[in-house]
Amino acid sequence: LSLVGSEMCIRDRYIKDYERGFSSINENEYKYIEEEMIADFYAEKETEIFNNKKRLPTIEERIEILKSVKIKIKTIVKREFDK
């Protein structure tokens, strides 16, 4: 699954505005971005596994994907209450 254009624009606007210092990210915005990034990253990794190994990810691989994306999100997006 992937995001439609309007969803990508909304998500990307939040991230770009935050990176430029134009806005802070509140809890609801963070949750929205987190969900969208998990979906994007998971789809990317699942496709990578399927293309390389010709199978879907195992449960263990799915857990590792989720752990790694949560770490990645925390390095990219800081919430206003994390400051």
Side-chain angles (χ1 to χ4, degrees), residues 15-55:
I15 293 172
K16 287 177 185 172
D17 285 352
Y18 176 78
E19 287 173 343
R20 293 179 185 147
F22 296 143
S23 68
S24 58
I25 304 294
N26 66 34
E27 180 68 20
N28 291 330
E29 292 165 333
Y30 182 85
K31 286 180 182 179
Y32 173 77
I33 292 169
E34 180 181 51
E35 289 172 5
E36 298 301 332
M37 289 180 77
I38 287 170
D40 285 354
F41 190 74
Y42 183 81
E44 178 184 316
K45 292 299 181 183
E46 185 175 69
T47 301
E48 186 179 300
I49 289 169
F50 184 80
N51 288 338
N52 293 334
K53 300 179 180 181
K54 306 298 183 218
R55 63 171 175 78

Side-chain angles (χ1 to χ4, degrees), residues 18 24-27 30-31 34 70 73-83:
Y18 176 78
S24 58
I25 304 294
N26 66 34
E27 180 68 20
Y30 182 85
K31 286 180 182 179
E34 180 181 51
K70 288 195 175 248
I73 291 168
K74 287 182 181 182
T75 64
I76 294 172
V77 181
K78 294 263 188 226
R79 299 168 286 191
E80 63 186 14
F81 47 85
D82 285 341
K83 296 177 182 178

